Amino acid sequence: MKKEHSQNGITLEAPLEESSGKYPRHIQVVMKGNYAAAEAARLCRAGFIPAYPITPQTTIVERLSELVTEGKLDATYINMDSEHSVFAAAMGAAIGGERVFTATAGQGLFYAHEVLQAIAHFRLPMVVCNVGRPSIPWNIWSDQSDSLSQRDTGWIQFYGESSQEVLDTIIQAYVLAERVNIPAMVVLDAFYQSHTSENVWIPDQNLVDRFLPPIQPGEMAIDVLQPKSFGGLIPPEHYNRLNYNYWKAMNQAEAMAEEIATDFGAHFGRPYGNVEAVNIGPETRLVLVTISSITSTVRGVIRDYPEVGLLKLRLFKPFPKEAVKRALAPLSKNAVIAIVERNFLGDNEGAIMQEMKRALYGSDLRMYDFYAGVGGKDVPPVTIEKIIHRAFHQPEEVNWIDVG
Amino acid sequence: MKPANEFLIKDEKVYSGALSCRGCGWSLLARHLASILGEDTVYVAPASCFSIISGPYPLRELKANLVHTVFAAAPATATGVRAALDRQGKEDTTVAILAGDGGTFDIGLQALSGAAARNENILYIVNNNGAYMNTGIQTSTATPYGAVTTTNPGGGFKRAWPKDLMGIIAAHNLPYAATASLAFLEDLRRKAEKAKKTQGFRLLMIDGPCPPGHKTDPAESIHIARLAVETRLFPLFELEGQHYTINYRPEKYIPVEECMKYQGRFKQLFKPENRHMIEDVQAHTDQYWMRLEALAGM
């Protein structure tokens, strides 16, 4: 069966020699995912960067410090005393009307939880990178429990499959965040992405400048001539109305993200969508649902399984219900959905299964959940093959693969 | 020092109708500070009584911007605000934090220390009323030894000494820090003016009258604040780097109980079996004063 790649990015199938000259007004560089994130912050002209180190995010803030020192990024860079303070400072600078960038991981994101809520409910646009890792017992390896557990803080969330996608998504996330006044988080995998070198196409600055104009301070920005009180005690009826407005903006975010991703393709030559469907058609018997770098492994495996397709989620919050429904629409009634979870949120089902059930409520499609790779446990092709076999042969509703 | 009067404020920078309790220090403090700091100021307030006093949405007490922020992180939020203003060429706009003792001595201490150690160009004002008054009088690490709060299991009043915030602040080598009292308004205003002009991280700690929390007569707030200074319970001093200056030396030695007896929160210390605790407070107060004198003489 012919595979359809509705979205590209730098895929495993793209040989490097064919790539040279592929994107005009770009340079091709081999770099680690964390450096790609820092490059994106530079290209987006982040003006304020509060920083606090945490493995495996550290090289992002180290690189940003270098970029500021080298004069390649005109930003105010401040070493804070904790992630809680990092996000509180980010909030202050965003209320001051600046474009803010920072990065964190695991415990740092958990520690900032209170401030994530405040930033979102202040309706402050900013972009933050999270390099996913779980909590105690100490574990620094790839896992999305940190960011997925923050899905209800009101932030937009994207998950990047490759370093290229992380860089490109940060640019798109700023456009989206500043359009809807909602902060956005771009998540990459610990080590598999953060510390792994890949080819990355870096666009020219003026290409980015045309796509992402300077930030326009909105209603929630300090104006000394028109003083306001920000965030004071608010009566229930007004609080309710603010949340109604927030809900309306969040409801627009899915379609807007899709539109921005399409525009990005026109500007930069690399189109994206909220989801990516590979080999999903009437003959497909099984669809694996993934986020982040496990997607690349699945791409490789399903070449040998013509009856298996892939649904990659790039946007996770707001959950792209429409895109998911559209992507799965060609499936026959007997097709099966298998979800690969690299997170554990203390419930029976993983985070992605919960959202997929919500999106496909009323559908006849059978859905099975597969915990694989929690705490950074490797998910090699053979693990994906096990998931495929189990999904075809009497799976439980929720399964753990390769528990040692 | 001459008694101060209302004419100290020539140009009012607050609207009428602050939501403070009768005899509260916050509204008087805000009036004086605002008249000195002016409208070109961005205030940052963590959770505290002032979160309420400054007015619920859509009202506003201060004639300036006020950013309310999370309890633990006013100095961090102010750091971000400062950076944004500086990037926009508004270096002359003052960024001032208005915090209580809970947000300063306890939950906000880390962020305070961080901003102080970075010498951020921020003015930090702490209204120290010695407990979590907004939530209804719970013990903070600023609560005085022997004071009653609603959270003192096993005895009903506090049996530990309050944290020496000014000592902690001194360890940060700040350009300017001072204590001030609403009973010594000219001194307070001079310090606020000096703090406004100084670059870098500055901190003013004000003794905060709180009739419901201290169990005092609202009409006595200023009288008691004056006695706190006269008895040396709340010494007035300034710090520039490691250099201490005592601003007011009481002419007479007045025992601490002369101030404590007006405050219902210390009532139990006046029972015969607890009198020794007043002596403890006296000894602690004398020691602190001697230490201050020694530091000021260096």
Side-chain angles (χ1 to χ4, degrees), chain A residues 74 96 98 223 228 230 233, chain B residues 57 65-66 68-69 87-88:
Chain A
D74 171 24
E98 288 297 311
D223 181 348
K228 289 196 269 294
F230 298 85
L233 190 71
Chain B
Y57 175 88
N65 281 289
L66 169 61
H68 293 269
T69 187
R87 289 186 66 77
Q88 293 152 19

Side-chain angles (χ1 to χ4, degrees), chain B residues 41-189:
Chain B
T41 299
V42 179
Y43 295 95
V44 177
S48 83
C49 287
F50 193 73
S51 312
I52 310 301
I53 294 166
S54 58
Y57 175 88
L59 304 175
R60 178 161 62 87
E61 182 199 6
L62 296 160
K63 294 184 180 178
N65 281 289
L66 169 61
V67 178
H68 293 269
T69 187
V70 291
F71 208 172
T77 302
T79 295
V81 169
R82 174 80 274 165
L85 291 168
D86 288 351
R87 289 186 66 77
Q88 293 152 19
K90 295 171 194 153
E91 286 95 349
D92 293 337
T93 302
T94 302
V95 176
I97 293 165
L98 299 171
D101 49 281
T104 304
F105 288 59
D106 293 346
I107 194 169
L109 187 66
Q110 176 177 312
L112 166 60
S113 176
R118 292 190 305 270
N119 199 23
E120 295 286 347
N121 189 19
I122 292 168
L123 168 55
Y124 193 110
I125 289 132
V126 46
N127 179 67
N128 179 6
N129 54 24
Y132 292 87
M133 299 308 188
N134 197 30
T135 42
I137 323 166
Q138 291 80 34
T139 294
S140 80
T141 55
T143 300
Y145 177 83
V148 163
T149 70
T150 59
T151 51
N152 276 307
F157 56 93
K158 193 177 169 189
R159 288 157 201 273
W161 295 103
K163 202 178 269 180
D164 177 14
L165 182 79
M166 296 306 284
I168 294 168
I169 285 303
H172 288 75
N173 278 302
L174 297 183
Y176 187 63
T179 61
S181 168
L182 291 165
F184 293 77
L185 281 175
E186 285 167 337
D187 179 72
L188 183 149
R189 291 181 66 87

Side-chain angles (χ1 to χ4, degrees), chain B residues 275-289:
Chain B
R275 286 289 309 197
H276 65 278
M277 293 185 72
I278 297 182
E279 288 161 29
D280 290 345
V281 175
Q282 187 66 63
H284 192 265
T285 304
D286 291 346
Q287 254 175 20
Y288 193 83
W289 182 267

Side-chain angles (χ1 to χ4, degrees), chain A residues 133-153:
Chain A
R133 60 169 269 199
S135 179
I136 280 181
W138 289 124
N139 181 301
I140 55 170
W141 295 284
S142 183
D143 187 302
Q144 287 129 10
S145 303
D146 54 354
S147 54
L148 289 171
S149 75
Q150 304 304 304
R151 67 187 169 179
D152 299 336
T153 52

